Amino acid sequence: MKLKEMVELIKEVHPDITDNRIIKLLNQANREFCIDSRVSDASYVVSGGTVVDQTYYSIDTEIISIDDVYI
């Protein structure tokens, strides 16, 4: 089902809610589903590589969990 179809179905039951609000709620539900079901399985490489004596690195905001780290 496409996003537009989901928005239309929700609007049938809740006609006063804005499309923007529906999309935000659907995105939130999608993130929660992915976290709970562990749907996403990808790897990430620290851009620029690692640095000696550096403990913390910035990572992509799309990452929802880190299960293993390999150096």
Side-chain angles (χ1 to χ4, degrees), residues 55-71:
T55 304
Y56 299 99
Y57 296 88
S58 297
I59 58 174
D60 191 318
T61 57
E62 295 293 316
I63 295 174
I64 55 176
S65 72
I66 299 173
D67 296 323
D68 296 301
V69 176
Y70 299 97
I71 300 175

Side-chain angles (χ1 to χ4, degrees), residues 20-71:
N20 216 18
R21 180 73 176 143
I22 293 170
I23 292 169
K24 284 183 180 180
L25 291 170
L26 288 170
N27 283 333
Q28 180 182 347
N30 184 48
R31 281 190 298 277
E32 290 174 12
F33 174 79
C34 288
I35 289 169
D36 292 346
S37 64
R38 304 183 61 87
V39 166
S40 179
D41 185 24
S43 62
Y44 177 79
V45 177
V46 175
S47 61
T50 56
V51 177
V52 174
D53 294 329
Q54 182 174 345
T55 304
Y56 299 99
Y57 296 88
S58 297
I59 58 174
D60 191 318
T61 57
E62 295 293 316
I63 295 174
I64 55 176
S65 72
I66 299 173
D67 296 323
D68 296 301
V69 176
Y70 299 97
I71 300 175

Side-chain angles (χ1 to χ4, degrees), residues 1 3-4 8-9 16-17 19 21 30 34 40 71:
M1 182 178 293
L3 178 61
K4 184 177 180 181
E8 289 171 355
L9 284 172
D16 296 331
I17 192 168
D19 290 2
R21 180 73 176 143
N30 184 48
C34 288
S40 179
I71 300 175

